[in-house]
Coordinates of all heavy atoms in Angstrom, one line a residue:
M49 N -76.8 76.0 62.1 CA -77.6 77.2 62.2 C -77.7 77.6 63.7 O -77.7 76.8 64.5 CB -79.0 76.9 61.7 CG -80.0 78.0 61.9 SD -81.6 77.7 61.3 CE -81.8 79.0 60.1
A50 N -77.6 79.0 63.9 CA -77.6 79.5 65.2 C -78.9 79.3 65.9 O -80.0 79.4 65.2 CB -77.2 80.9 65.2
R51 N -79.0 79.0 67.1 CA -80.2 78.9 67.9 C -80.8 80.3 68.2 O -82.0 80.4 68.5 CB -80.0 78.1 69.2 CG -79.7 76.7 68.9 CD -79.6 75.8 70.1 NE -79.1 74.5 69.8 CZ -79.3 73.5 70.6 NH1 -79.7 73.6 71.8 NH2 -78.9 72.3 70.2
L52 N -79.8 81.2 68.5 CA -80.3 82.6 68.7 C -80.0 83.3 67.4 O -79.1 83.2 66.7 CB -79.4 83.2 69.7 CG -79.5 82.7 71.2 CD1 -78.4 83.3 72.0 CD2 -80.9 82.9 71.7
P53 N -81.0 84.3 67.1 CA -80.8 85.0 65.9 C -79.6 86.0 66.1 O -79.3 86.5 67.1 CB -82.1 85.8 65.7 CG -82.7 85.8 67.1 CD -82.3 84.5 67.8
L54 N -78.8 86.1 64.9 CA -77.8 87.1 65.0 C -78.3 88.5 64.6 O -78.9 88.7 63.6 CB -76.7 86.6 64.0 CG -76.2 85.2 64.4 CD1 -75.0 84.9 63.3 CD2 -75.5 85.2 65.7
V55 N -77.9 89.5 65.4 CA -78.5 90.8 65.2 C -77.7 91.4 64.0 O -76.5 91.3 63.9 CB -78.2 91.7 66.4 CG1 -78.5 93.1 66.2 CG2 -79.1 91.1 67.6
D56 N -78.4 92.0 63.0 CA -77.9 92.7 61.9 C -77.3 94.1 62.3 O -78.1 94.9 62.8 CB -78.9 92.8 60.9 CG -78.4 93.5 59.6 OD1 -77.2 93.8 59.5 OD2 -79.2 93.8 58.7
P57 N -76.0 94.2 62.3 CA -75.5 95.5 62.7 C -75.9 96.7 62.0 O -75.8 97.8 62.4 CB -74.0 95.3 62.5 CG -73.7 93.9 62.3 CD -75.0 93.3 61.8
D58 N -76.5 96.4 60.7 CA -77.0 97.5 59.9 C -78.6 97.7 60.0 O -79.1 98.5 59.3 CB -76.7 97.3 58.4 CG -75.2 97.3 58.2 OD1 -74.5 98.1 58.8 OD2 -74.6 96.4 57.6
D59 N -79.2 97.0 61.0 CA -80.7 97.3 61.2 C -80.9 98.7 61.6 O -80.3 99.1 62.7 CB -81.1 96.2 62.2 CG -82.6 96.3 62.6 OD1 -83.2 97.3 62.1 OD2 -83.0 95.5 63.4
P60 N -81.7 99.4 61.0 CA -82.0 100.8 61.3 C -82.8 100.9 62.6 O -82.7 102.0 63.3 CB -82.9 101.3 60.1 CG -83.5 100.1 59.5 CD -82.5 98.9 59.8
D61 N -83.4 99.9 63.2 CA -84.1 99.9 64.5 C -83.2 99.6 65.7 O -83.7 99.5 66.7 CB -85.3 99.0 64.4 CG -86.3 99.5 63.4 OD1 -86.5 100.7 63.1 OD2 -87.0 98.6 62.8
L62 N -81.9 99.3 65.4 CA -81.0 99.0 66.4 C -80.7 100.2 67.3 O -80.5 101.3 66.8 CB -79.8 98.4 65.7 CG -78.8 97.5 66.6 CD1 -79.5 96.3 67.1 CD2 -77.7 97.1 65.7
E63 N -80.6 99.8 68.6 CA -80.2 100.9 69.5 C -78.9 101.4 69.1 O -78.0 100.7 68.8 CB -80.0 100.3 70.9 CG -81.2 100.2 71.8 CD -80.9 99.7 73.2 OE1 -80.0 100.2 73.9 OE2 -81.6 98.7 73.6
P64 N -78.7 102.7 69.2 CA -77.4 103.4 68.7 C -76.2 102.8 69.5 O -75.2 102.6 69.0 CB -77.7 104.9 68.9 CG -79.1 105.0 68.9 CD -79.7 103.8 69.6
A65 N -76.4 102.6 70.8 CA -75.2 102.1 71.5 C -74.8 100.7 71.2 O -73.6 100.3 71.1 CB -75.5 102.1 73.0
V66 N -75.8 99.9 70.8 CA -75.5 98.5 70.4 C -74.9 98.5 69.0 O -74.0 97.8 68.8 CB -76.8 97.7 70.3 CG1 -76.6 96.3 69.7 CG2 -77.4 97.5 71.7
R67 N -75.4 99.4 68.1 CA -74.8 99.5 66.8 C -73.3 99.9 66.9 O -72.5 99.4 66.2 CB -75.7 100.5 66.0 CG -75.0 100.7 64.6 CD -75.8 101.7 63.7 NE -77.2 101.3 63.5 CZ -78.2 101.9 64.0 NH1 -78.0 103.0 64.7 NH2 -79.4 101.5 63.8
E68 N -73.1 100.9 67.7 CA -71.8 101.4 68.0 C -70.8 100.3 68.5 O -69.7 100.1 68.0 CB -71.7 102.6 69.0 CG -70.4 103.1 69.3 CD -69.6 103.6 68.2 OE1 -70.2 104.1 67.2 OE2 -68.4 103.6 68.2
R69 N -71.3 99.4 69.4 CA -70.4 98.4 70.0 C -70.2 97.3 68.9 O -69.1 96.8 68.6 CB -71.2 97.6 71.0 CG -70.4 96.5 71.6 CD -69.0 96.7 72.1 NE -69.0 97.5 73.2 CZ -68.8 97.1 74.5 NH1 -68.8 95.8 74.7 NH2 -68.9 97.9 75.5
L70 N -71.2 97.0 68.0 CA -71.0 96.1 66.8 C -70.1 96.6 65.8 O -69.3 95.9 65.2 CB -72.3 95.6 66.3 CG -73.1 94.8 67.2 CD1 -74.5 94.4 66.6 CD2 -72.5 93.5 67.6
H71 N -70.2 97.9 65.6 CA -69.4 98.5 64.5 C -68.0 98.9 65.0 O -67.0 99.0 64.2 CB -70.0 99.7 63.9 CG -71.2 99.4 63.0 ND1 -71.0 99.4 61.6 CD2 -72.5 99.1 63.2 CE1 -72.2 99.2 61.1 NE2 -73.0 98.9 62.0
H72 N -67.8 99.0 66.3 CA -66.5 99.6 66.8 C -65.5 98.5 66.5 O -65.5 97.4 66.8 CB -66.6 99.7 68.4 CG -65.3 100.0 68.9 ND1 -64.9 101.3 68.8 CD2 -64.4 99.4 69.7 CE1 -63.7 101.4 69.4 NE2 -63.4 100.3 70.0
S73 N -64.4 98.9 65.7 CA -63.3 98.1 65.3 C -63.6 97.0 64.3 O -62.7 96.2 64.0 CB -62.6 97.5 66.5 OG -62.3 98.5 67.4
Y74 N -64.8 97.0 63.8 CA -65.2 95.9 62.8 C -65.7 96.5 61.5 O -66.3 95.8 60.8 CB -66.2 95.1 63.4 CG -65.8 94.4 64.7 CD1 -66.4 94.7 65.9 CD2 -64.8 93.5 64.7 CE1 -66.0 94.2 67.1 CE2 -64.3 93.0 66.0 CZ -64.9 93.2 67.1 OH -64.5 92.7 68.3
G75 N -65.3 97.8 61.3 CA -65.7 98.4 60.1 C -67.3 98.5 59.9 O -67.9 99.1 60.8
T76 N -67.9 97.9 59.0 CA -69.4 98.0 58.7 C -70.1 97.1 59.7 O -71.2 97.1 59.7 CB -69.7 97.6 57.4 OG1 -69.3 96.2 57.1 CG2 -69.0 98.4 56.3
G77 N -69.4 96.4 60.5 CA -70.1 95.5 61.5 C -70.2 94.0 61.0 O -70.4 93.1 61.8
R78 N -70.0 93.9 59.8 CA -70.1 92.5 59.2 C -69.0 91.5 59.8 O -69.1 90.4 59.8 CB -70.0 92.5 57.7 CG -71.2 93.1 57.0 CD -71.1 93.1 55.5 NE -72.0 93.7 54.6 CZ -72.9 94.6 54.9 NH1 -73.1 94.9 56.1 NH2 -73.8 95.1 54.0
G79 N -67.8 92.2 60.2 CA -66.7 91.5 60.7 C -67.0 91.3 62.2 O -66.1 90.6 62.9
A80 N -68.1 91.7 62.8 CA -68.3 91.5 64.2 C -68.5 90.1 64.5 O -69.2 89.4 63.8 CB -69.5 92.4 64.7
P81 N -67.8 89.5 65.5 CA -67.9 88.1 65.7 C -69.4 87.7 66.1 O -70.2 88.4 66.7 CB -67.1 87.9 67.1 CG -66.1 89.1 67.1 CD -66.9 90.2 66.4
N82 N -69.8 86.5 65.6 CA -71.1 86.1 65.8 C -71.6 86.0 67.3 O -72.7 86.3 67.7 CB -71.3 84.7 65.2 CG -71.4 84.8 63.7 OD1 -71.6 85.8 63.0 ND2 -71.3 83.6 63.0
V83 N -70.6 85.7 68.2 CA -70.9 85.7 69.6 C -71.4 87.1 70.1 O -72.4 87.2 70.9 CB -69.8 85.2 70.5 CG1 -68.6 86.1 70.5 CG2 -70.3 84.9 71.8
L84 N -70.8 88.1 69.6 CA -71.3 89.5 69.9 C -72.6 89.8 69.3 O -73.5 90.4 69.9 CB -70.3 90.5 69.5 CG -68.9 90.5 70.3 CD1 -68.0 91.7 69.9 CD2 -69.2 90.5 71.8
R85 N -72.8 89.3 68.0 CA -74.1 89.6 67.3 C -75.3 88.9 68.1 O -76.3 89.4 68.1 CB -73.9 89.1 65.8 CG -73.0 90.1 65.1 CD -72.9 89.7 63.7 NE -74.1 89.8 63.0 CZ -74.4 89.1 61.9 NH1 -73.6 88.3 61.3 NH2 -75.7 89.2 61.3
A86 N -74.9 87.7 68.6 CA -76.0 87.0 69.4 C -76.1 87.7 70.7 O -77.4 87.8 71.1 CB -75.5 85.6 69.6
M87 N -75.2 88.1 71.3 CA -75.3 88.8 72.6 C -76.1 90.1 72.4 O -76.7 90.6 73.3 CB -73.9 89.1 73.2 CG -73.3 87.9 73.8 SD -71.7 88.1 74.4 CE -72.1 89.3 75.8
A88 N -76.1 90.7 71.2 CA -76.8 92.0 71.0 C -78.3 91.8 71.1 O -79.0 92.8 71.2 CB -76.5 92.5 69.6
N89 N -78.8 90.6 71.2 CA -80.2 90.3 71.6 C -80.6 90.7 72.9 O -81.7 91.0 73.3 CB -80.6 88.8 71.4 CG -80.6 88.4 69.9 OD1 -81.5 88.9 69.2 ND2 -79.7 87.5 69.5
H90 N -79.6 90.8 73.8 CA -79.7 91.3 75.1 C -78.7 92.4 75.4 O -77.5 92.2 75.7 CB -79.4 90.2 76.1 CG -79.8 90.5 77.5 ND1 -79.2 91.5 78.3 CD2 -80.8 90.1 78.3 CE1 -79.7 91.6 79.5 NE2 -80.8 90.8 79.5
P91 N -79.1 93.6 75.0 CA -78.1 94.9 75.0 C -77.3 95.0 76.2 O -76.1 95.3 76.2 CB -79.0 96.0 74.7 CG -80.2 95.4 73.9 CD -80.4 94.1 74.5
L92 N -78.0 94.8 77.4 CA -77.2 95.0 78.7 C -76.1 94.1 78.7 O -75.0 94.5 79.1 CB -78.1 94.8 79.8 CG -77.6 95.1 81.2 CD1 -77.1 96.5 81.3 CD2 -78.6 94.8 82.3
A93 N -76.2 92.9 78.4 CA -75.0 91.9 78.4 C -74.0 92.3 77.4 O -72.8 92.3 77.8 CB -75.5 90.5 78.1
L94 N -74.4 92.9 76.3 CA -73.4 93.2 75.2 C -72.7 94.5 75.8 O -71.4 94.6 75.6 CB -74.0 93.5 73.9 CG -73.1 94.0 72.8 CD1 -72.1 92.9 72.4 CD2 -74.0 94.4 71.6
L95 N -73.4 95.4 76.3 CA -72.8 96.7 76.6 C -72.0 96.7 77.9 O -71.3 97.6 78.2 CB -73.9 97.8 76.6 CG -74.6 98.0 75.3 CD1 -75.8 98.9 75.5 CD2 -73.6 98.5 74.3
S96 N -72.3 95.7 78.8 CA -71.7 95.7 80.0 C -70.2 95.2 79.9 O -69.6 95.1 81.0 CB -72.4 94.8 81.0 OG -72.4 93.5 80.6
G97 N -69.7 95.0 78.8 CA -68.3 94.6 78.7 C -68.0 93.2 78.3 O -66.8 92.7 78.4
A98 N -69.0 92.4 78.0 CA -68.8 91.0 77.7 C -67.9 90.8 76.5 O -67.3 89.7 76.5 CB -70.1 90.3 77.6
G99 N -67.7 91.7 75.7 CA -67.0 91.6 74.4 C -65.6 92.1 74.7 O -64.9 92.3 73.7
V100 N -65.1 92.2 75.9 CA -63.8 92.7 76.2 C -62.6 92.1 75.5 O -61.7 92.7 75.0 CB -63.6 93.0 77.7 CG1 -63.3 91.5 78.3 CG2 -62.4 93.9 78.0
S101 N -62.7 90.7 75.3 CA -61.7 90.1 74.6 C -61.7 90.3 73.1 O -60.7 89.9 72.5 CB -61.9 88.6 74.9 OG -63.0 88.0 74.2
Y102 N -62.6 90.9 72.6 CA -62.6 91.3 71.2 C -61.9 92.7 70.8 O -62.0 93.1 69.7 CB -63.9 91.2 70.6 CG -64.5 89.8 70.5 CD1 -65.3 89.2 71.5 CD2 -64.0 88.9 69.5 CE1 -65.7 88.0 71.5 CE2 -64.3 87.6 69.4 CZ -65.2 87.2 70.5 OH -65.6 85.8 70.4
R103 N -61.4 93.3 71.8 CA -60.8 94.5 71.6 C -59.6 94.4 70.7 O -58.9 93.5 70.8 CB -60.4 95.2 72.9 CG -61.5 95.7 73.7 CD -61.0 96.4 74.9 NE -59.7 95.8 75.3 CZ -59.3 95.7 76.7 NH1 -60.1 96.2 77.6 NH2 -58.2 95.2 77.0
P104 N -59.3 95.3 69.9 CA -58.2 95.2 69.0 C -56.8 95.2 69.7 O -55.9 94.5 69.4 CB -58.2 96.3 68.1 CG -59.6 96.9 68.1 CD -60.1 96.5 69.5
D105 N -56.8 95.8 70.9 CA -55.6 95.8 71.7 C -55.5 94.7 72.8 O -54.7 94.8 73.7 CB -55.4 97.2 72.3 CG -56.5 97.5 73.3 OD1 -57.7 96.9 73.3 OD2 -56.4 98.4 74.2
S106 N -56.4 93.7 72.6 CA -56.4 92.6 73.7 C -55.1 91.8 73.5 O -54.5 91.7 72.5 CB -57.6 91.7 73.3 OG -57.6 90.6 74.1
R107 N -54.7 91.4 74.7 CA -53.5 90.5 74.8 C -53.9 89.1 74.4 O -52.9 88.3 74.3 CB -52.9 90.6 76.2 CG -52.4 92.0 76.6 CD -51.8 91.9 77.9 NE -51.4 93.3 78.3 CZ -50.9 93.6 79.4 NH1 -50.7 92.7 80.4 NH2 -50.5 94.9 79.7
I108 N -55.1 88.7 74.4 CA -55.4 87.4 74.0 C -55.4 87.2 72.5 O -56.0 88.0 71.7 CB -56.9 87.1 74.4 CG1 -57.0 87.2 76.0 CG2 -57.3 85.8 74.0 CD1 -58.4 87.2 76.5
T109 N -54.7 86.2 72.0 CA -54.5 86.0 70.6 C -55.7 85.2 70.1 O -56.4 84.6 70.9 CB -53.2 85.1 70.3 OG1 -53.4 83.8 71.0 CG2 -51.9 85.7 70.9
P110 N -56.0 85.3 68.9 CA -57.1 84.5 68.3 C -57.0 83.0 68.7 O -58.0 82.4 68.9 CB -57.0 84.7 66.8 CG -56.3 86.1 66.6 CD -55.4 86.1 67.8
F111 N -55.8 82.5 68.6 CA -55.7 81.0 69.0 C -56.1 80.8 70.4 O -56.8 79.8 70.7 CB -54.2 80.6 68.8 CG -53.9 79.3 69.3 CD1 -54.2 78.1 68.5 CD2 -53.3 79.0 70.5 CE1 -53.9 76.8 68.9 CE2 -53.0 77.7 71.0 CZ -53.3 76.6 70.2
Q112 N -55.6 81.7 71.3 CA -56.0 81.5 72.8 C -57.5 81.7 73.0 O -58.1 80.9 73.8 CB -55.2 82.6 73.6 CG -53.8 82.3 73.7 CD -52.9 83.4 74.3 OE1 -53.3 84.6 74.1 NE2 -52.0 83.2 75.0
R113 N -58.1 82.6 72.2 CA -59.6 82.8 72.3 C -60.3 81.6 71.9 O -61.2 81.1 72.6 CB -59.9 84.0 71.5 CG -61.3 84.4 71.6 CD -61.7 85.8 71.1 NE -61.0 86.1 69.8 CZ -60.1 87.1 69.8 NH1 -59.9 87.9 70.7 NH2 -59.5 87.3 68.6
E114 N -59.9 81.0 70.8 CA -60.6 79.8 70.2 C -60.3 78.6 71.3 O -61.2 77.8 71.4 CB -60.0 79.4 68.9 CG -60.7 78.2 68.2 CD -62.2 78.5 67.9 OE1 -62.5 79.6 67.8 OE2 -62.8 77.4 67.7
L115 N -59.1 78.5 71.8 CA -58.9 77.4 72.8 C -59.8 77.6 74.0 O -60.3 76.6 74.5 CB -57.3 77.5 73.2 CG -56.9 76.4 74.1 CD1 -57.2 75.0 73.5 CD2 -55.5 76.6 74.5
A116 N -60.0 78.8 74.5 CA -60.9 79.1 75.7 C -62.2 78.6 75.3 O -62.9 78.0 76.0 CB -60.8 80.5 76.0
Y117 N -62.8 79.0 74.1 CA -64.1 78.6 73.7 C -64.3 77.1 73.6 O -65.3 76.5 74.1 CB -64.5 79.2 72.3 CG -64.9 80.6 72.4 CD1 -64.3 81.5 71.5 CD2 -65.9 81.1 73.2 CE1 -64.6 82.9 71.5 CE2 -66.3 82.4 73.3 CZ -65.7 83.3 72.4 OH -66.0 84.5 72.5
L118 N -63.3 76.4 73.0 CA -63.3 75.0 72.8 C -63.2 74.3 74.2 O -64.0 73.4 74.4 CB -62.1 74.5 71.9 CG -62.4 74.9 70.5 CD1 -61.2 74.5 69.7 CD2 -63.6 74.2 69.9
T119 N -62.4 74.8 75.1 CA -62.3 74.2 76.4 C -63.6 74.3 77.1 O -64.0 73.3 77.8 CB -61.2 74.9 77.2 OG1 -60.0 74.7 76.5 CG2 -61.0 74.3 78.6
A120 N -64.2 75.5 77.1 CA -65.5 75.7 77.8 C -66.6 74.7 77.2 O -67.4 74.3 77.9 CB -65.9 77.2 77.7
S121 N -66.6 74.6 75.9 CA -67.5 73.8 75.2 C -67.3 72.3 75.7 O -68.3 71.6 76.0 CB -67.4 73.8 73.8 OG -67.7 75.1 73.2
V122 N -66.1 71.8 75.8 CA -65.9 70.4 76.2 C -66.2 70.2 77.7 O -66.9 69.3 78.0 CB -64.3 70.1 76.1 CG1 -64.0 68.7 76.8 CG2 -64.0 70.0 74.6
V123 N -65.8 71.2 78.6 CA -66.2 71.1 80.0 C -67.7 71.1 80.2 O -68.2 70.4 81.0 CB -65.6 72.3 80.7 CG1 -66.1 72.4 82.1 CG2 -64.1 72.1 80.8
N124 N -68.4 71.9 79.3 CA -69.9 71.9 79.5 C -70.7 70.9 78.7 O -71.8 71.0 78.5 CB -70.4 73.3 79.2 CG -69.9 74.3 80.3 OD1 -70.4 74.2 81.4 ND2 -69.1 75.2 80.0
R125 N -69.9 70.1 77.9 CA -70.4 68.9 77.1 C -71.3 69.6 76.0 O -72.5 69.1 75.7 CB -71.3 68.0 77.8 CG -70.3 67.2 78.8 CD -71.0 66.1 79.4 NE -70.1 65.3 80.2 CZ -70.1 65.1 81.6 NH1 -71.1 65.7 82.2 NH2 -69.3 64.5 82.2
C126 N -70.9 70.7 75.4 CA -71.6 71.4 74.4 C -71.3 70.6 73.0 O -70.1 70.2 72.7 CB -71.2 72.8 74.2 SG -71.7 73.8 75.7
H127 N -72.2 70.4 72.1 CA -72.0 69.8 70.8 C -72.3 70.8 69.8 O -73.4 71.4 69.7 CB -72.8 68.6 70.6 CG -72.6 67.6 71.7 ND1 -71.5 66.8 71.8 CD2 -73.3 67.3 72.9 CE1 -71.5 66.0 72.9 NE2 -72.6 66.3 73.5
Y128 N -71.3 71.1 68.9 CA -71.5 72.1 67.8 C -70.5 71.7 66.7 O -69.7 71.0 66.9 CB -71.4 73.5 68.2 CG -70.0 74.0 68.5 CD1 -69.2 74.6 67.6 CD2 -69.4 73.8 69.8 CE1 -67.9 75.0 67.8 CE2 -68.2 74.1 70.1 CZ -67.4 74.8 69.2 OH -66.2 75.2 69.5

């Protein structure tokens, strides 16, 4: 279970800019990665470009992205 609540991209009270970021390239938003949905709790962090690696035209492959997350987790001794 997530420690931070995941923002529902279909929440009618969601800031329009946040909704657009979550829906951009992810259809209805359900496909938005959970890390972006968690970051949406702090719109400035989400909108300032923290999700740049999730762009469809990104040069980072899904394998490389997962490897980066796992490496950061090991280095920071995160358990999940």
